[in-house]
Amino acid sequence: MAPTKNKLPKPGLRAGVEMESFRKKYLNLDYFKKLIFDPHYLGAACCFLFVFELILNVLIIERVNYTEIDWRAYMQEVEGFLNGTLDYKELKGDTGPLVYPAGFVYVYTILYHVTSQGTNIYLAQYIFLVLYLIQTLLTYRIFRKTAKIPPYALILTTLTSYRIHSIFVLRLFNDPIAVLLFYVSLNLFISNKWLLGSFLFSLAVSVKMNILLYAPCLLIAYLTNLTLSETFLNLFVCGIVQLILGAPFLYTNPYSYIKGSFDLGRIFEHKWTVNYRFLPREIFESRVFHISLLALHVAILLLFTPILKHYLSSYSKLRLITEQVKSQMKSERKKRQDARRKENQKLNKKEREFLESFEKQLRSNKSKEETVDDVFEDESKLEDKMSKVAQLLVLPFFVTNLIGIVCARSLHYQFYSWYFHSLLYLVFCTGFRKPVIFLLLGVLEYCWNVYPSTDISSALIHVCHILLLYGIYRTMKM
């Protein structure tokens, strides 16, 4: 008797098998828990929150009144530049002299022209909405790369944040632009594109000098991840960007440009401070107080330097290893695909369809037999390891910036954007229990929303910052 021939499965049966496979994989409680609690499943939450952020910011622009603070002054400073004034001490606005580097002038010159000499504030708000959404995507990419933040935490902090939205779309400060450029550079560093990352980092500094708070970590990252010649090349890129952007002003009056845009001794007004409201004005404005904070800043950086070096050195070594393994896996996968392609060429169309259907049934039954997707499964496991490697690069940058903010002589409300997007990551690196983590985030959000600041709110900011630094230091020392 002749052997029976294998028959192709009916279309209805094939669809049923695929639906059953989909149901088992996605429509179950375990998968739902992963979408809520597992950092490796952050993608779905990011997609939902991105749409939410878009809708929310549009509603804010359309329904909440714009508040004039610095925009008009920015436009006045830009007008002076466009009228031919290149001496920095002559560029002024309603809020005083221009105190930002040359990149700020060029960025807001573009905004000046696009918004009809700064009169179309409504359009400017939507431009800043686009910047906010780009910032959001860059932050999400870092969170997904590091796999540190559980989805529910990202959802909670997004739904309860208020101040950061107003800083972007209701105030139009230059701080968000500088921070956005830094996050572009950090994403490039994670992707091992150091030269381009250095270029963007220097652009960020040229918009506002607070980005220099990251500089100590960046220097250590250069020395631990690059050769000495590559380090000098990246430093040269950072420096040449500043020289090129500042050239017209440096040529006219170098002293007034450097003093105006990189004035480390500038005294802030006590009435605007968020973090030192409890101090008397005399102490707040005293030179001794400023020098003491600078000394504290240097001391904390020195305390963290060995840990930062250890993290960044480990990142350099592990990144090379994982890249080699990944390259080997891609090579092996290509060999398997080539071999499979040769085998498939020997089969006719119906035989190939049957083979594909048979493999799907094997996977739906959770067969341990190796199929063509096993290579991809191995690569996903490698990506899980890579997320832990990426954490070794991201945390040092975030904590270095936090140290600078802790020791800042004065924090204004727009300065919240300097570290808002890293706060969630930082609290999950403290090792504290979840109630303490969310209490810290909640208290910080409260302090940044109290206007005007009070003795209590400014003192609470310091308490939260000290707890953050302590928790992170303890964790990184382990």
Side-chain angles (χ1 to χ4, degrees), residues 332-367:
E332 181 64 24
R333 180 175 61 181
K334 188 175 183 302
K335 289 179 182 179
R336 294 192 183 199
Q337 289 175 340
D338 290 341
R340 181 179 176 79
R341 194 177 298 112
K342 290 178 181 179
E343 287 294 324
N344 285 347
Q345 288 174 355
K346 300 176 183 178
L347 304 175
N348 59 40
K349 182 179 179 181
K350 290 186 176 181
E351 289 170 333
R352 284 198 298 272
E353 289 178 351
F354 174 76
L355 181 61
E356 290 170 1
S357 175
F358 182 66
E359 283 193 349
K360 285 181 180 179
Q361 291 182 39
L362 285 176
R363 290 194 292 273
S364 67
N365 293 328
K366 298 183 179 180
S367 170

mmCIF file of all heavy atoms in Angstrom, residues 332-367:
data_model
loop_
_atom_site.group_PDB
_atom_site.id
_atom_site.type_symbol
_atom_site.label_atom_id
_atom_site.label_comp_id
_atom_site.label_asym_id
_atom_site.label_seq_id
_atom_site.Cartn_x
_atom_site.Cartn_y
_atom_site.Cartn_z
ATOM 1 N N GLU A 332 26.402 33.762 12.777
ATOM 2 C CA GLU A 332 25.822 32.419 12.858
ATOM 3 C C GLU A 332 24.414 32.394 12.280
ATOM 4 O O GLU A 332 24.024 31.454 11.578
ATOM 5 C CB GLU A 332 25.805 31.964 14.326
ATOM 6 C CG GLU A 332 25.249 30.554 14.547
ATOM 7 C CD GLU A 332 26.092 29.484 13.899
ATOM 8 O OE1 GLU A 332 27.298 29.716 13.672
ATOM 9 O OE2 GLU A 332 25.527 28.409 13.606
ATOM 10 N N ARG A 333 23.656 33.432 12.565
ATOM 11 C CA ARG A 333 22.295 33.496 12.040
ATOM 12 C C ARG A 333 22.302 33.546 10.518
ATOM 13 O O ARG A 333 21.482 32.910 9.857
ATOM 14 C CB ARG A 333 21.569 34.712 12.610
ATOM 15 C CG ARG A 333 20.130 34.858 12.115
ATOM 16 C CD ARG A 333 19.415 35.998 12.793
ATOM 17 N NE ARG A 333 20.073 37.261 12.529
ATOM 18 C CZ ARG A 333 19.654 38.420 13.034
ATOM 19 N NH1 ARG A 333 18.621 38.456 13.837
ATOM 20 N NH2 ARG A 333 20.298 39.526 12.746
ATOM 21 N N LYS A 334 23.254 34.340 9.962
ATOM 22 C CA LYS A 334 23.346 34.450 8.508
ATOM 23 C C LYS A 334 23.686 33.091 7.884
ATOM 24 O O LYS A 334 23.138 32.704 6.852
ATOM 25 C CB LYS A 334 24.416 35.470 8.125
ATOM 26 C CG LYS A 334 24.453 35.800 6.628
ATOM 27 C CD LYS A 334 25.459 36.898 6.346
ATOM 28 C CE LYS A 334 25.432 37.272 4.867
ATOM 29 N NZ LYS A 334 25.724 36.128 3.986
ATOM 30 N N LYS A 335 24.599 32.332 8.546
ATOM 31 C CA LYS A 335 24.952 31.008 8.036
ATOM 32 C C LYS A 335 23.729 30.097 8.019
ATOM 33 O O LYS A 335 23.490 29.358 7.067
ATOM 34 C CB LYS A 335 26.048 30.394 8.899
ATOM 35 C CG LYS A 335 27.410 31.047 8.734
ATOM 36 C CD LYS A 335 28.439 30.390 9.645
ATOM 37 C CE LYS A 335 29.793 31.069 9.532
ATOM 38 N NZ LYS A 335 30.790 30.450 10.448
ATOM 39 N N ARG A 336 22.929 30.162 9.123
ATOM 40 C CA ARG A 336 21.738 29.312 9.200
ATOM 41 C C ARG A 336 20.718 29.718 8.144
ATOM 42 O O ARG A 336 20.071 28.872 7.533
ATOM 43 C CB ARG A 336 21.114 29.406 10.590
ATOM 44 C CG ARG A 336 21.996 28.839 11.696
ATOM 45 C CD ARG A 336 21.205 28.693 12.971
ATOM 46 N NE ARG A 336 22.036 28.230 14.068
ATOM 47 C CZ ARG A 336 21.575 27.688 15.177
ATOM 48 N NH1 ARG A 336 20.268 27.550 15.339
ATOM 49 N NH2 ARG A 336 22.382 27.299 16.122
ATOM 50 N N GLN A 337 20.572 31.021 7.946
ATOM 51 C CA GLN A 337 19.619 31.483 6.947
ATOM 52 C C GLN A 337 20.053 31.086 5.542
ATOM 53 O O GLN A 337 19.218 30.712 4.715
ATOM 54 C CB GLN A 337 19.464 33.006 7.047
ATOM 55 C CG GLN A 337 18.713 33.457 8.290
ATOM 56 C CD GLN A 337 18.681 34.966 8.421
ATOM 57 O OE1 GLN A 337 19.494 35.676 7.822
ATOM 58 N NE2 GLN A 337 17.745 35.468 9.219
ATOM 59 N N ASP A 338 21.371 31.185 5.290
ATOM 60 C CA ASP A 338 21.878 30.777 3.964
ATOM 61 C C ASP A 338 21.654 29.290 3.734
ATOM 62 O O ASP A 338 21.252 28.871 2.637
ATOM 63 C CB ASP A 338 23.372 31.102 3.858
ATOM 64 C CG ASP A 338 23.631 32.597 3.773
ATOM 65 O OD1 ASP A 338 22.680 33.334 3.444
ATOM 66 O OD2 ASP A 338 24.775 33.018 4.036
ATOM 67 N N ALA A 339 21.935 28.485 4.786
ATOM 68 C CA ALA A 339 21.724 27.041 4.650
ATOM 69 C C ALA A 339 20.255 26.728 4.449
ATOM 70 O O ALA A 339 19.885 25.864 3.635
ATOM 71 C CB ALA A 339 22.252 26.317 5.895
ATOM 72 N N ARG A 340 19.403 27.423 5.165
ATOM 73 C CA ARG A 340 17.957 27.207 5.033
ATOM 74 C C ARG A 340 17.462 27.610 3.645
ATOM 75 O O ARG A 340 16.607 26.957 3.060
ATOM 76 C CB ARG A 340 17.232 28.006 6.114
ATOM 77 C CG ARG A 340 15.714 27.833 6.080
ATOM 78 C CD ARG A 340 15.075 28.633 7.205
ATOM 79 N NE ARG A 340 13.631 28.550 7.125
ATOM 80 C CZ ARG A 340 12.912 27.515 7.545
ATOM 81 N NH1 ARG A 340 13.528 26.475 8.095
ATOM 82 N NH2 ARG A 340 11.599 27.512 7.435
ATOM 83 N N ARG A 341 18.037 28.720 3.124
ATOM 84 C CA ARG A 341 17.636 29.176 1.797
ATOM 85 C C ARG A 341 17.992 28.140 0.730
ATOM 86 O O ARG A 341 17.227 27.883 -0.199
ATOM 87 C CB ARG A 341 18.315 30.514 1.494
ATOM 88 C CG ARG A 341 17.719 31.239 0.291
ATOM 89 C CD ARG A 341 18.373 32.592 0.085
ATOM 90 N NE ARG A 341 18.170 33.466 1.216
ATOM 91 C CZ ARG A 341 19.139 33.867 2.038
ATOM 92 N NH1 ARG A 341 20.388 33.448 1.849
ATOM 93 N NH2 ARG A 341 18.872 34.658 3.054
ATOM 94 N N LYS A 342 19.173 27.536 0.868
ATOM 95 C CA LYS A 342 19.583 26.504 -0.087
ATOM 96 C C LYS A 342 18.659 25.296 -0.019
ATOM 97 O O LYS A 342 18.313 24.692 -1.034
ATOM 98 C CB LYS A 342 21.021 26.089 0.195
ATOM 99 C CG LYS A 342 22.040 27.168 -0.153
ATOM 100 C CD LYS A 342 23.451 26.718 0.183
ATOM 101 C CE LYS A 342 24.463 27.823 -0.140
ATOM 102 N NZ LYS A 342 25.842 27.394 0.202
ATOM 103 N N GLU A 343 18.273 24.934 1.222
ATOM 104 C CA GLU A 343 17.348 23.811 1.377
ATOM 105 C C GLU A 343 15.993 24.136 0.756
ATOM 106 O O GLU A 343 15.379 23.297 0.092
ATOM 107 C CB GLU A 343 17.170 23.475 2.859
ATOM 108 C CG GLU A 343 18.368 22.787 3.492
ATOM 109 C CD GLU A 343 18.606 21.408 2.897
ATOM 110 O OE1 GLU A 343 17.603 20.729 2.568
ATOM 111 O OE2 GLU A 343 19.766 21.034 2.721
ATOM 112 N N ASN A 344 15.532 25.377 0.982
ATOM 113 C CA ASN A 344 14.218 25.772 0.454
ATOM 114 C C ASN A 344 14.188 25.801 -1.059
ATOM 115 O O ASN A 344 13.143 25.594 -1.686
ATOM 116 C CB ASN A 344 13.820 27.144 0.993
ATOM 117 C CG ASN A 344 13.377 27.066 2.442
ATOM 118 O OD1 ASN A 344 13.138 25.974 2.956
ATOM 119 N ND2 ASN A 344 13.289 28.214 3.110
ATOM 120 N N GLN A 345 15.349 26.071 -1.669
ATOM 121 C CA GLN A 345 15.396 26.103 -3.130
ATOM 122 C C GLN A 345 15.118 24.728 -3.735
ATOM 123 O O GLN A 345 14.688 24.613 -4.873
ATOM 124 C CB GLN A 345 16.768 26.600 -3.592
ATOM 125 C CG GLN A 345 16.961 28.095 -3.344
ATOM 126 C CD GLN A 345 18.359 28.562 -3.656
ATOM 127 O OE1 GLN A 345 19.240 27.755 -3.981
ATOM 128 N NE2 GLN A 345 18.587 29.874 -3.556
ATOM 129 N N LYS A 346 15.373 23.673 -2.922
ATOM 130 C CA LYS A 346 15.130 22.312 -3.394
ATOM 131 C C LYS A 346 13.662 21.914 -3.244
ATOM 132 O O LYS A 346 13.252 20.878 -3.752
ATOM 133 C CB LYS A 346 15.997 21.324 -2.603
ATOM 134 C CG LYS A 346 17.492 21.595 -2.730
ATOM 135 C CD LYS A 346 18.282 20.644 -1.853
ATOM 136 C CE LYS A 346 19.770 20.951 -1.906
ATOM 137 N NZ LYS A 346 20.555 20.052 -1.018
ATOM 138 N N LEU A 347 12.875 22.746 -2.501
ATOM 139 C CA LEU A 347 11.477 22.423 -2.260
ATOM 140 C C LEU A 347 10.590 23.224 -3.192
ATOM 141 O O LEU A 347 10.899 24.357 -3.552
ATOM 142 C CB LEU A 347 11.108 22.734 -0.807
ATOM 143 C CG LEU A 347 11.956 22.058 0.282
ATOM 144 C CD1 LEU A 347 11.538 22.575 1.640
ATOM 145 C CD2 LEU A 347 11.826 20.544 0.210
ATOM 146 N N ASN A 348 9.455 22.633 -3.542
ATOM 147 C CA ASN A 348 8.500 23.410 -4.335
ATOM 148 C C ASN A 348 7.664 24.287 -3.398
ATOM 149 O O ASN A 348 7.788 24.220 -2.185
ATOM 150 C CB ASN A 348 7.603 22.494 -5.178
ATOM 151 C CG ASN A 348 6.818 21.521 -4.316
ATOM 152 O OD1 ASN A 348 6.330 21.893 -3.253
ATOM 153 N ND2 ASN A 348 6.708 20.269 -4.772
ATOM 154 N N LYS A 349 6.796 25.089 -3.981
ATOM 155 C CA LYS A 349 6.044 26.078 -3.211
ATOM 156 C C LYS A 349 5.194 25.423 -2.130
ATOM 157 O O LYS A 349 5.169 25.860 -0.972
ATOM 158 C CB LYS A 349 5.166 26.901 -4.143
ATOM 159 C CG LYS A 349 4.380 27.986 -3.432
ATOM 160 C CD LYS A 349 3.546 28.775 -4.415
ATOM 161 C CE LYS A 349 2.738 29.850 -3.689
ATOM 162 N NZ LYS A 349 1.894 30.635 -4.623
ATOM 163 N N LYS A 350 4.481 24.350 -2.472
ATOM 164 C CA LYS A 350 3.590 23.700 -1.506
ATOM 165 C C LYS A 350 4.370 23.072 -0.365
ATOM 166 O O LYS A 350 3.954 23.120 0.801
ATOM 167 C CB LYS A 350 2.741 22.643 -2.213
ATOM 168 C CG LYS A 350 1.698 23.231 -3.139
ATOM 169 C CD LYS A 350 0.786 22.147 -3.693
ATOM 170 C CE LYS A 350 -0.318 22.769 -4.551
ATOM 171 N NZ LYS A 350 -1.236 21.728 -5.080
ATOM 172 N N GLU A 351 5.540 22.525 -0.695
ATOM 173 C CA GLU A 351 6.357 21.911 0.352
ATOM 174 C C GLU A 351 6.897 22.973 1.324
ATOM 175 O O GLU A 351 6.953 22.750 2.534
ATOM 176 C CB GLU A 351 7.517 21.127 -0.277
ATOM 177 C CG GLU A 351 7.059 19.854 -0.988
ATOM 178 C CD GLU A 351 8.168 19.222 -1.806
ATOM 179 O OE1 GLU A 351 9.083 19.960 -2.247
ATOM 180 O OE2 GLU A 351 8.134 18.002 -2.003
ATOM 181 N N ARG A 352 7.281 24.147 0.791
ATOM 182 C CA ARG A 352 7.761 25.222 1.662
ATOM 183 C C ARG A 352 6.646 25.728 2.577
ATOM 184 O O ARG A 352 6.856 26.002 3.750
ATOM 185 C CB ARG A 352 8.310 26.383 0.819
ATOM 186 C CG ARG A 352 9.685 26.111 0.235
ATOM 187 C CD ARG A 352 10.346 27.402 -0.196
ATOM 188 N NE ARG A 352 9.621 28.093 -1.237
ATOM 189 C CZ ARG A 352 9.793 27.876 -2.546
ATOM 190 N NH1 ARG A 352 10.688 26.981 -2.944
ATOM 191 N NH2 ARG A 352 9.089 28.552 -3.431
ATOM 192 N N GLU A 353 5.446 25.868 2.029
ATOM 193 C CA GLU A 353 4.304 26.310 2.837
ATOM 194 C C GLU A 353 4.005 25.328 3.958
ATOM 195 O O GLU A 353 3.706 25.721 5.093
ATOM 196 C CB GLU A 353 3.076 26.493 1.950
ATOM 197 C CG GLU A 353 3.159 27.695 1.029
ATOM 198 C CD GLU A 353 1.933 27.802 0.138
ATOM 199 O OE1 GLU A 353 1.116 26.844 0.128
ATOM 200 O OE2 GLU A 353 1.798 28.823 -0.559
ATOM 201 N N PHE A 354 4.089 24.022 3.646
ATOM 202 C CA PHE A 354 3.841 23.011 4.668
ATOM 203 C C PHE A 354 4.897 23.083 5.774
ATOM 204 O O PHE A 354 4.585 23.005 6.964
ATOM 205 C CB PHE A 354 3.835 21.615 4.044
ATOM 206 C CG PHE A 354 3.715 20.517 5.070
ATOM 207 C CD1 PHE A 354 2.497 20.245 5.674
ATOM 208 C CD2 PHE A 354 4.831 19.777 5.439
ATOM 209 C CE1 PHE A 354 2.392 19.251 6.632
ATOM 210 C CE2 PHE A 354 4.730 18.790 6.400
ATOM 211 C CZ PHE A 354 3.502 18.514 6.992
ATOM 212 N N LEU A 355 6.182 23.283 5.366
ATOM 213 C CA LEU A 355 7.259 23.359 6.339
ATOM 214 C C LEU A 355 7.066 24.552 7.270
ATOM 215 O O LEU A 355 7.231 24.443 8.488
ATOM 216 C CB LEU A 355 8.611 23.476 5.615
ATOM 217 C CG LEU A 355 9.853 23.555 6.510
ATOM 218 C CD1 LEU A 355 9.993 22.299 7.354
ATOM 219 C CD2 LEU A 355 11.101 23.770 5.663
ATOM 220 N N GLU A 356 6.693 25.704 6.721
ATOM 221 C CA GLU A 356 6.467 26.898 7.530
ATOM 222 C C GLU A 356 5.311 26.686 8.507
ATOM 223 O O GLU A 356 5.373 27.076 9.672
ATOM 224 C CB GLU A 356 6.198 28.103 6.638
ATOM 225 C CG GLU A 356 7.429 28.557 5.859
ATOM 226 C CD GLU A 356 7.087 29.596 4.811
ATOM 227 O OE1 GLU A 356 5.879 29.961 4.727
ATOM 228 O OE2 GLU A 356 7.990 30.026 4.072
ATOM 229 N N SER A 357 4.243 26.047 8.016
ATOM 230 C CA SER A 357 3.098 25.772 8.871
ATOM 231 C C SER A 357 3.463 24.808 9.991
ATOM 232 O O SER A 357 3.043 24.972 11.138
ATOM 233 C CB SER A 357 1.955 25.185 8.038
ATOM 234 O OG SER A 357 0.884 24.798 8.856
ATOM 235 N N PHE A 358 4.290 23.816 9.658
ATOM 236 C CA PHE A 358 4.700 22.821 10.653
ATOM 237 C C PHE A 358 5.528 23.486 11.762
ATOM 238 O O PHE A 358 5.361 23.199 12.949
ATOM 239 C CB PHE A 358 5.499 21.712 9.960
ATOM 240 C CG PHE A 358 5.930 20.610 10.892
ATOM 241 C CD1 PHE A 358 4.982 19.783 11.500
ATOM 242 C CD2 PHE A 358 7.266 20.393 11.174
ATOM 243 C CE1 PHE A 358 5.369 18.771 12.355
ATOM 244 C CE2 PHE A 358 7.662 19.389 12.027
ATOM 245 C CZ PHE A 358 6.714 18.572 12.622
ATOM 246 N N GLU A 359 6.426 24.415 11.371
ATOM 247 C CA GLU A 359 7.244 25.108 12.373
ATOM 248 C C GLU A 359 6.392 25.982 13.287
ATOM 249 O O GLU A 359 6.642 26.090 14.475
ATOM 250 C CB GLU A 359 8.322 25.961 11.680
ATOM 251 C CG GLU A 359 9.496 25.154 11.165
ATOM 252 C CD GLU A 359 10.670 26.032 10.784
ATOM 253 O OE1 GLU A 359 10.493 27.268 10.734
ATOM 254 O OE2 GLU A 359 11.755 25.495 10.563
ATOM 255 N N LYS A 360 5.348 26.602 12.730
ATOM 256 C CA LYS A 360 4.446 27.429 13.544
ATOM 257 C C LYS A 360 3.754 26.574 14.590
ATOM 258 O O LYS A 360 3.574 26.986 15.737
ATOM 259 C CB LYS A 360 3.419 28.131 12.662
ATOM 260 C CG LYS A 360 3.988 29.298 11.869
ATOM 261 C CD LYS A 360 2.907 29.964 11.040
ATOM 262 C CE LYS A 360 3.480 31.129 10.243
ATOM 263 N NZ LYS A 360 2.443 31.774 9.405
ATOM 264 N N GLN A 361 3.344 25.363 14.191
ATOM 265 C CA GLN A 361 2.696 24.464 15.150
ATOM 266 C C GLN A 361 3.668 24.036 16.240
ATOM 267 O O GLN A 361 3.302 23.931 17.411
ATOM 268 C CB GLN A 361 2.156 23.236 14.410
ATOM 269 C CG GLN A 361 0.988 23.550 13.490
ATOM 270 C CD GLN A 361 0.451 22.299 12.817
ATOM 271 O OE1 GLN A 361 0.373 21.246 13.429
ATOM 272 N NE2 GLN A 361 0.087 22.425 11.556
ATOM 273 N N LEU A 362 4.920 23.848 15.851
ATOM 274 C CA LEU A 362 5.928 23.486 16.853
ATOM 275 C C LEU A 362 6.078 24.599 17.887
ATOM 276 O O LEU A 362 6.132 24.360 19.093
ATOM 277 C CB LEU A 362 7.284 23.228 16.175
ATOM 278 C CG LEU A 362 7.440 21.916 15.401
ATOM 279 C CD1 LEU A 362 8.802 21.884 14.719
ATOM 280 C CD2 LEU A 362 7.280 20.709 16.314
ATOM 281 N N ARG A 363 6.131 25.844 17.404
ATOM 282 C CA ARG A 363 6.306 26.970 18.316
ATOM 283 C C ARG A 363 5.078 27.171 19.193
ATOM 284 O O ARG A 363 5.183 27.519 20.364
ATOM 285 C CB ARG A 363 6.605 28.247 17.517
ATOM 286 C CG ARG A 363 7.987 28.243 16.874
ATOM 287 C CD ARG A 363 8.367 29.644 16.406
ATOM 288 N NE ARG A 363 7.551 30.109 15.303
ATOM 289 C CZ ARG A 363 7.810 29.878 14.029
ATOM 290 N NH1 ARG A 363 8.895 29.182 13.705
ATOM 291 N NH2 ARG A 363 7.015 30.327 13.081
ATOM 292 N N SER A 364 3.891 26.958 18.618
ATOM 293 C CA SER A 364 2.672 27.133 19.403
ATOM 294 C C SER A 364 2.554 26.085 20.486
ATOM 295 O O SER A 364 1.952 26.312 21.527
ATOM 296 C CB SER A 364 1.439 27.072 18.485
ATOM 297 O OG SER A 364 1.294 25.768 17.949
ATOM 298 N N ASN A 365 3.162 24.946 20.267
ATOM 299 C CA ASN A 365 3.155 23.877 21.271
ATOM 300 C C ASN A 365 4.361 23.962 22.210
ATOM 301 O O ASN A 365 4.610 23.049 22.989
ATOM 302 C CB ASN A 365 3.155 22.505 20.581
ATOM 303 C CG ASN A 365 1.853 22.255 19.842
ATOM 304 O OD1 ASN A 365 0.803 22.715 20.260
ATOM 305 N ND2 ASN A 365 1.939 21.526 18.728
ATOM 306 N N LYS A 366 5.119 25.076 22.079
ATOM 307 C CA LYS A 366 6.303 25.301 22.928
ATOM 308 C C LYS A 366 7.286 24.147 22.826
ATOM 309 O O LYS A 366 7.851 23.677 23.810
ATOM 310 C CB LYS A 366 5.903 25.522 24.395
ATOM 311 C CG LYS A 366 5.033 26.753 24.598
ATOM 312 C CD LYS A 366 4.720 26.966 26.055
ATOM 313 C CE LYS A 366 3.859 28.215 26.241
ATOM 314 N NZ LYS A 366 3.529 28.456 27.656
ATOM 315 N N SER A 367 7.473 23.713 21.597
ATOM 316 C CA SER A 367 8.407 22.616 21.378
ATOM 317 C C SER A 367 9.829 23.059 21.679
ATOM 318 O O SER A 367 10.217 24.193 21.426
ATOM 319 C CB SER A 367 8.320 22.147 19.921
ATOM 320 O OG SER A 367 9.360 21.251 19.625
#
